[in-house]
Amino acid sequence: MLLIFDCDGVLVDSEALACAVDAEVLTRIGLPYSAEDVARKFVGVSFKDMVARLEAEHRCTLPADLGTQIDSALFAKFETSLKPIEGVREAILSLPYPRCVASSSTPERIALSLRITGLADLFDHVFSATQVARGKPAPDLFLHAAAQMDASPGDCIVIEDSAAGVQGALAAGMRVIGFAGGAHCGPDHAEKLRQAGAHTIIERMTDLTSAVQVLK
């Protein structure tokens, strides 16, 4: 049994911070988005895919340094404001299974997030959407993680907070626990994950162990 954790919104409570920064930078370059707009359209999506969608929708070419602009603002915000998801460390340590991270974020952002929140020591294996051709909701990242961890997809449980992540895990043939306890999750978030196909939903990390036991 392999546990595959998304990072943003599952391990670290970063999505609300990231959506606010993305909206601020996009608005500054002439694409007015609110944090709520970004959350609705792009949570769980890789930066590369977000750029492709924006350029197609607005028929424009975004600045080559957009990623640098966003990372600079976001990393500064993380240093002062990023927190782990409540109870996640204890929940992970209570589970005796191999584990890894599979995130749409860049390796640099994942590493920073885990360091700031004190979770880096829990994961020896971290995989980023930058390592595969297609990000979530395609299955590529999850299949890559499973292959690197020498696990068959049917023996994997993915913990995800986004519909795109749930869809990608299902496409990879994996079971999915939807997490709806992050600061960015509204009252309808659990239902969105359920509609995306999550096998079970939790809103507190204290429920992770029991959810894994049910699915394993």
Side-chain angles (χ1 to χ4, degrees):
M1 177 64 63
L2 173 66
L3 302 180
I4 302 178
F5 289 85
D6 180 36
C7 183
D8 297 291
V10 170
L11 299 175
V12 303
D13 210 357
S14 57
E15 292 290 18
L17 300 174
C19 290
V21 168
D22 286 353
E24 179 183 330
V25 174
L26 289 173
T27 299
R28 189 168 67 228
I29 65 170
L31 299 180
Y33 277 80
S34 68
E36 292 74 19
D37 293 333
V38 173
R40 186 176 64 256
K41 289 191 169 190
F42 302 120
V43 162
V45 174
S46 70
F47 176 73
K48 177 178 69 174
D49 289 342
M50 181 178 81
V51 168
R53 290 188 194 181
L54 286 168
E55 290 186 334
E57 181 176 340
H58 295 278
R59 295 184 174 84
C60 68
T61 299
L62 296 178
D65 68 341
L66 178 63
T68 302
Q69 290 185 49
I70 289 175
D71 283 351
S72 178
L74 185 61
F75 291 2
K77 178 70 73 173
F78 277 7
E79 290 285 1
T80 60
S81 305
L82 186 63
K83 305 293 182 187
I85 292 291
E86 184 177 355
V88 71
R89 183 180 184 85
E90 295 78 9
I92 290 170
L93 290 174
S94 73
L95 292 163
Y97 308 109
R99 57 184 177 261
C100 66
V101 175
S103 169
S104 294
S105 293
T106 62
E108 295 78 15
R109 175 171 161 179
I110 301 167
L112 179 71
S113 298
L114 296 178
R115 174 184 65 77
I116 290 172
T117 55
L119 302 176
D121 63 301
L122 298 180
F123 295 98
D124 293 327
H125 304 281
V126 175
F127 306 104
S128 162
T130 61
Q131 298 172 290
V132 296
R134 300 176 299 168
K136 307 169 187 178
D140 302 30
L141 178 57
F142 295 116
L143 292 173
H144 174 71
Q148 293 299 309
M149 297 294 289
D150 197 26
S152 65
D155 288 331
C156 297
I157 295 177
V158 175
I159 301 90
E160 263 288 352
D161 73 306
S162 72
V166 170
Q167 292 162 357
L170 291 174
M174 301 176 181
R175 285 157 287 174
V176 190
I177 297 171
F179 178 67
H184 66 294
C185 297
D188 61 342
H189 197 83
E191 183 57 29
K192 288 179 181 177
L193 298 180
R194 191 172 289 109
Q195 290 179 1
H199 294 93
T200 189
I201 309 290
I202 61 173
E203 297 187 6
R204 301 174 302 175
M205 278 298 167
T206 50
D207 296 326
L208 180 62
T209 299
S210 59
V212 168
Q213 295 305 316
V214 167
L215 292 185
K216 77 180 181 69

